[in-house]
Amino acid sequence: MSRPLIIGGGPAGSAAAIMLAHGGAKPLIIERNRETGDAICGGFLSWQSLARLDELGIDKAALGGQRVSQLRIFCRGHVATCALPQPGIGVSRHRLDTQLLERALQEGAAIERGVKANRVGDGTVTTADGATLTSGAIFLACGKHGMADHPRTPPPRAADDPVAGLRLRLSASPILERLVGDAVELFLFDRGYLGLVRQEDGSGNFCLAVHKSRLTEADGRPEALFAEWGAQCGPLGERLAAGSAVAPPDAIANIPYGWMARQGTAGLWRIGDQAACIPSLAGEGMGVALASGISAARAYHDGRDAAVWQRGFAAHVTGPMRIARTAWAIAESPRWNGAATAVLGAAPSLVRALARLTRV
């Protein structure tokens, strides 16, 4: 049997590589970046994701990260706080991706960096330099980046008003530590929301999802949007003032939140955000990545058809995706988000239930 090819060395691709190599398959990872960066998306690992890391043999002590045991939601003067069902951690994608790739290489996988896949299909991968690679098992794990001939059409509310992802990192400070503590925080606004978690070095990782129409109202400038939202919400303004920006905001456009691959193709395993792109406010993007990579690799070793696996994985994530899409719609609606936060503040058990129901 030919060597499995994995397109992308993020959490989904690395998880698949670890499990494939552990079973003796010796996969090859093709990664577009020459160095492991700090990806925009991710930064929070739920208790479910930590259990997946155990399956992959990742040393969580070496991974480090900030313990996260609370969820805090802010909207229109309301605050909802509750304990998470189980603790998670805040950790940078650079730290997570580095450890996962190192583990994959230890298990016997190989990686070629600086190779961009342009097309994938019919057992072949065409790279940007014109080379063609062939394999009977291709694992598409290129994250939120699109791939020709494999469209991801988001639900109407995201298709009609596309969603951009923005990330701002603030330096560590005693003030930020005091304000955020061991919580992951959500700030809800009109047509967007912002998540905040402290990472292994104490820095603040702000991840924001916003519709194009709202960003346009801020003259298309992420800095202006952060400033506007910080002025609207006192607690957010305090946090933004607590440290200095490590770098200018990063951005990625046209995120297909709410999409998932309901059908599959023989020989092609779509994993991570290529399998299901869960709204980021659910905090389970890394969960989808790790779960799909592990599950697809196991199915490969079991001799299962990729198309059958794809339909089965879609069925597995349908419930969490449906709940996350509903929560996303409410969180971004000025008509509902304030009242919903007030209700959750009065009934923390509802927040914990939502947290449980959106795990993968």
Side-chain angles (χ1 to χ4, degrees):
M1 183 176 291
S2 60
R3 186 180 209 180
L5 290 176
I6 301 172
I7 314 304
S14 294
I18 292 167
M19 299 303 290
L20 288 167
H22 188 71
K26 307 300 182 185
L28 171 64
I29 302 170
I30 298 172
E31 170 53 48
R32 60 192 290 160
N33 296 312
R34 294 189 178 279
E35 302 291 338
T36 300
D38 190 19
I40 292 176
C41 301
F44 171 71
L45 294 175
S46 72
W47 60 96
Q48 191 87 326
S49 296
L50 294 179
R52 305 290 187 196
L53 293 182
D54 282 337
E55 295 181 59
L56 295 168
I58 298 297
D59 181 357
K60 294 197 292 293
L63 184 63
Q66 293 284 342
R67 176 183 169 89
V68 178
S69 60
Q70 296 185 76
L71 171 62
R72 197 176 294 133
I73 306 172
F74 298 87
C75 185
R76 299 170 178 266
H78 301 289
V79 182
T81 302
C82 79
L84 291 172
Q86 296 180 51
I89 63 171
V91 64
S92 68
R93 280 290 304 276
H94 178 268
R95 176 73 64 87
L96 175 65
D97 291 9
T98 297
Q99 295 235 3
L100 284 167
L101 279 172
E102 287 178 354
R103 180 65 180 169
L105 294 175
Q106 290 169 3
E107 287 286 351
I111 182 170
E112 290 190 10
R113 289 186 174 274
V115 180
K116 182 179 181 295
N118 278 354
R119 289 188 175 274
V120 175
D122 297 325
T124 64
V125 175
T126 304
T127 65
D129 61 4
T132 299
L133 307 174
T134 62
S135 175
I138 298 173
F139 293 76
L140 187 57
C142 52
K144 289 182 170 58
H145 297 284
M147 179 62 65
D149 301 325
H150 299 285
R152 294 176 298 166
T153 303
R157 60 190 306 270
D160 297 340
D161 192 3
V163 180
L166 307 172
R167 193 269 303 275
L168 177 69
R169 287 192 62 201
L170 291 188
S171 58
S173 74
I175 297 175
L176 191 65
E177 181 179 2
R178 174 176 58 81
L179 292 173
V180 181
D182 65 345
V184 57
E185 298 183 331
L186 281 174
F187 300 84
L188 311 182
F189 298 95
D190 173 20
R191 287 165 289 162
Y193 57 87
L194 184 151
L196 168 62
V197 70
R198 294 171 61 239
Q199 299 191 320
E200 67 272 8
D201 59 356
S203 63
N205 191 58
F206 289 87
C207 287
L208 182 154
V210 61
H211 287 271
K212 181 180 179 180
S213 63
R214 182 63 186 88
L215 185 58
T216 299
E217 291 172 7
D219 297 324
R221 296 188 301 117
E223 298 89 345
L225 186 61
F226 277 107
E228 285 185 35
W229 281 0
Q232 289 178 27
C233 177
L236 176 57
E238 287 184 290
R239 286 151 176 77
L240 289 169
S244 58
V246 174
D250 300 314
I252 183 169
N254 301 322
I255 302 176
Y257 284 137
W259 174 90
M260 63 181 172
R262 297 182 181 276
Q263 300 296 323
T265 304
L268 179 64
W269 312 75
R270 301 185 68 166
I271 57 178
D273 284 322
Q274 297 294 319
C277 196
I278 194 167
S280 61
L281 88 170
E284 193 63 352
M286 292 300 95
V288 172
L290 297 171
S292 61
I294 292 171
S295 175
R298 285 178 172 160
Y300 169 85
H301 282 308
D302 290 342
R304 293 167 55 195
D305 179 74
V308 173
W309 173 84
Q310 200 81 58
R311 292 193 295 271
F313 188 77
H316 174 68
V317 299
T318 291
M321 287 284 288
R322 183 181 294 121
I323 294 167
R325 285 197 301 263
T326 301
W328 175 35
I330 293 171
E332 294 186 329
S333 170
R335 182 178 179 183
W336 299 109
N337 54 13
T341 304
V343 170
L344 294 175
S349 60
L350 291 178
V351 185
R352 286 193 293 273
L354 286 171
R356 288 191 187 96
L357 292 171
T358 49
R359 295 314 98 191
V360 173

